Each structure stands twice: as structure tokens, then as C-alpha cells.
Amino acid sequence: MDDQDPGDARKPGATCPVCHAPVFAENNYCEACGHRISAAPADEIPAGGPRPPEIPDTQNPDTQNPDTQNPVAENPQVDPCTGCGASAIDVDGYCERCGLRRPGGRDHVESELTGTGGGVIAAGVSDKGLRHSKNEDAMALAAAQGRVAAVVCDGVSSSPRPEDASRVAADTGVAVLMKELESGTDAETATRKAVLQAAQGVAALAASEYDAPACTYVSVLIGAGSVTVGWVGDSRAYWLPVAADEHADPDPAAVSGSGSRLTEDDSWAEQMVALGALSEVEAQAHRNAHVLVGWLGADADAVQAHVRTFSPEGPGVVVVCSDGLWNYLPEAATIGGALAEALPGPPAGVSAAAAGPLAAARSLVDVALDSGGRDNITVVVIPFRPMAPTDLADAAGLADSSYTSDSTDSTDSTDSTDSTDCTDPAGLAGPVEPPEPPSTEPAE
């Protein structure tokens, strides 16, 4: 609270030697910047009360050096802290001198997938948002056999090491999709196998049933005439129809029509709506709205992979995202509207294929950040046009995967979401009853 309690008679004992904010006698750390004021552990504080912090001698230059005040072990092999310049960074990325967290390699990631012709056939952006200290989302993109694959995973914040779960799931999922396609496996079977092996990979991270990293999972596999989606959890995929010339690449700025959501959340809110217990508005407003009923992890029940294939009649854009985006833009129509507003069109002389996907992904991430950025945000944008497979062009390898609804009358949908049981016969992803379902509810 901003207003001080009249009964609080605390008096500042000194100022912080780093940020010069007032500090109180009972404080071991500066409340403004986190700098250590007193190095004495709590169990060494004299019985008569906390000792006051030493007041720096402004005439002695040694006392003005934070290294002299609180010596830390410097590591010349580590990039220095952006706040104070120290190179003593702990394993979690925090500066041991001033407490500032060093930006991580996954705090903001941008990835583009290009075909053999040099055109951009998919792009993604992942950002940690404004309220989280690290990015627990992950994405992976790849292309082979005339198809484009993308996987987005959202680490469950209430589980241990959620960033590891999402990274393993995304990389495993896209690798299995590519391997199965190259072996001639059909899209739906490849999608189911990818979910299963991603679940096994995440389950293998667990040291015990009480130390089980977890994440959500959504994949898209786009061919010449169809889009196959697979998911577990509440990360989503959307279809946005695009008005475009039949010879032009779909431009995300030219979204027309309401579009549709291709996935159904494995969440408490979606379950309540399906049961008719609550309306969509009531369910989403409930405090349990984001509690998951399906996820990847050793503490999950038997993994139920939802798989859906549909064949659009015209060009469009597929958007794959974590809830960091759809918390603010929940409907396909609102995503399309945001794209149309943010992208009036590609610059003169620049094709939509080259300018569209990455610009579109960036613009949607920016909308989420401008709306509050309460969660990690990941968005992948893939233009679609019903053309020959050779027009998609293969891309080599896994393309920077490592750090880098409403219905539409233009969609002929074949739904096979009757929860394919992907229980692992080897027991790697065997069901363990969790004490409480994990939640990806955004931090308040």
C-alpha cells in the first residue's frame, strides 16, 4: 500500500550504497533494488535486535565500491550484469551483487522458415511477456515432403522446470513429425505419434511423481490441400481466411471473414461449457477457468491426443499460439481484426510471402504486450494456399527450433477429436494421480 500506517515508527538508518534509497535498521536488503545491506544471517543477529547497517564513508572511495562492500565471486567467462557490470551470475541468471536478472536466451525469440526458393513459408515469435521472469513457452518449425510443421508448447508454471518441459515437447514433436512424414506416414498418424513421443520425453524429465515438469502441446501440419492439427492442453490453433489473388501468396494483412478456432481447450472452463453447467462468459470469468484437465507430464493421466484435419477451399493463414495471446484475443475474428489493423499491407515492392508471416507474428505479440503481457506469449503464423506440394518447397533441417470456435463456410472439416488414447505401453508417460491439476492461469 502507498499510504504509510501512522503506527509505523520505523526510521531510515542509512541509504543504499547502490541506488541511494532509504533503508531501515531491520532490513538486510534494499527494498528498492535488492542490494545486500547486511551480510549477517538471521541466526547471527544479536539478541538485542537487528544491528543497523553500516553508513558508507563518503570520503573513503573503497566504501563506494559495491565489490568492497559485498565481495562476490566474479566469473570472467560470463557476460556481465547489465545493471551493475558484475560477472558474478548465479545458476538462475541473477546477479549476486545487485539482484538483477540477466536476460535469457529465450526471453524473446524470432524464427523464420524459408523454402528452397528463398520465400518465407512460416514464422514465429516467442516473448516472456511483462510479468514473468523467464519464458516458459517454446516453439519449433520445420518443413519436409512438401509440408510445413509447427509445434507450440506452454510450460505449466505450477510445475518444476516448465521451460524444460516445453522445450523438449516442441523439439521432440517437430522431429517426430518430420521423421514420420519422410517414412510415408499419413498426417494424422504422424501427429498422434508426435504427441505420444513428446509426452514420453516430458515424462522422462521427472525425478519423481512429485517433481514432474509439465506443458501443453499443439501442432499443425500443413500440406498442399489440408491442415492437420493435434493438441493436448489449452494452446490453440486458428484458421483465418484470406482474400487473395489465386497466384499470390496469402497476406496476413488481408484476412477476411470470421475464421474459426481449430482446437478445443483441455481446461476446466471448456469442460463446464461442454457439460452445459456454465456459459462461455461465466466459465472464462471463473477463477478455475485456466485449470488444465489435460497436459503432458509424468503426473498426467493417460494422454488424450486430439487430432483434426480439414481442407480449406481457399487461401488463408494458420495461427498457432499459447494462451499468452488468446487471453487477449480469444476469437479468430479478433485475431484477424488485430492483424488487419496492425498490417495495412506489405511495403511497396515487397511480396506478402517475404513480409507477412514474421510481421504478423510480431504484431500479435505486440498486441498481447500492449494489453498487459501477463503471461509468456508465443505466436506462429503460416500462410496456406491450396497449391501443389512443390510450391511449399522443402526447408532443410529443423529451422531454428532451438532458440531461435467460430465456423467458416470455406472450411470442410473432418474432426477426429474423439480423444485417441496415447498411453505409453512402456510406462514412461504412465498416469499418476496429481494432488491438484496444474494451472496455466496468468500471474496476477
Side-chain angles (χ1 to χ4, degrees), residues 154-169 198-216 295-300 428 438:
D154 180 359
V156 177
S157 296
S158 59
S159 72
R161 307 186 307 284
E163 68 279 7
D164 293 340
S166 62
R167 181 78 270 153
V168 166
Q200 293 175 353
V202 175
L205 296 173
S208 71
E209 63 184 273
Y210 305 107
D211 180 36
C215 67
T216 68
W295 63 92
L296 303 186
D299 61 346
L428 291 177

Side-chain angles (χ1 to χ4, degrees), residues 163-308:
E163 68 279 7
D164 293 340
S166 62
R167 181 78 270 153
V168 166
D171 286 346
T172 300
V174 82
V176 173
L177 286 171
M178 293 296 98
K179 177 183 176 181
E180 292 299 325
L181 290 177
E182 291 170 357
S183 300
T185 306
D186 66 90
E188 290 199 356
T189 301
T191 296
R192 291 189 177 96
K193 288 186 175 182
V195 174
L196 172 59
Q197 293 194 34
Q200 293 175 353
V202 175
L205 296 173
S208 71
E209 63 184 273
Y210 305 107
D211 180 36
C215 67
T216 68
Y217 179 101
V218 61
S219 69
V220 295
L221 194 54
I222 298 180
S226 65
V227 177
T228 298
V229 185
W231 74 95
V232 176
D234 66 354
S235 294
R236 294 181 176 182
Y238 294 86
W239 165 255
L240 307 177
V242 169
D245 183 271
E246 62 178 346
H247 300 296
D249 291 303
D251 180 5
V255 171
S256 64
S258 60
S260 60
R261 173 150 61 106
L262 305 178
T263 55
E264 298 172 359
D265 300 342
D266 285 323
S267 68
W268 182 92
E270 197 93 1
Q271 197 173 62
M272 292 300 102
V273 173
L275 293 172
L278 295 174
S279 69
E280 178 74 21
V281 174
E282 292 170 335
Q284 291 297 337
H286 197 279
R287 63 186 299 271
N288 291 334
H290 286 269
V291 172
L292 296 176
V293 297
W295 63 92
L296 303 186
D299 61 346
D301 289 325
V303 175
Q304 304 293 313
H306 311 285
V307 179
R308 169 176 295 169

Side-chain angles (χ1 to χ4, degrees), residues 110-114 120-125 138-144 147-152 167 170-171 174-175 178 220 320 357-358 378-382 395-402 404:
E110 296 188 352
S111 179
E112 283 187 315
L113 188 65
T114 57
V120 178
I121 55 180
V125 176
M139 62 180 177
L141 309 173
R147 298 176 189 250
V148 177
V151 178
V152 168
R167 181 78 270 153
D171 286 346
V174 82
M178 293 296 98
V220 295
V320 191
L358 184 57
T378 299
V379 180
V380 173
V381 176
I382 309 173
L398 292 181
D400 196 18
S401 65
S402 62
T404 78

